[in-house]
Amino acid sequence: QNPYQGLPAEALRGVTFAAFWSSCTIYAHKVSPPGLHATMLMLLNALYGGLGQSLGAILGGKLQHTVGTVNTFYYAAAADLVFLVAV
């Protein structure tokens, strides 16, 4: 009911995204062949920022249109849980 209740979640998102992105860039740097570090980081950025966000927006929008906003968040949470258990 109060929009300020979302602020702790946004603060947590900032911390978790920073940990995720720094881990991804370190891993991409470690697995890249010598001389191709920048190329691997570019590929990581393209996959996450280009492909990942584009597909997320398209599929999320279609799902939201079909089942509604609240159910879209429930389905996303269920998918996250399945992924968490599988990994």
Side-chain angles (χ1 to χ4, degrees), residues 30-56:
K30 284 184 179 182
V31 300
S32 62
L36 293 177
H37 302 303
T39 303
M40 187 65 83
L41 291 175
M42 182 272 316
L43 183 62
L44 168 68
N45 196 29
L47 287 174
Y48 177 80
L51 183 64
Q53 290 180 351
S54 297
L55 278 177

Side-chain angles (χ1 to χ4, degrees), residues 6-34:
L7 289 178
E10 286 300 315
L12 182 62
R13 183 202 176 279
V15 172
T16 56
F17 182 79
F20 158 75
W21 193 250
S22 62
S23 299
C24 286
T25 56
I26 290 168
Y27 181 75
H29 185 29
K30 284 184 179 182
V31 300
S32 62

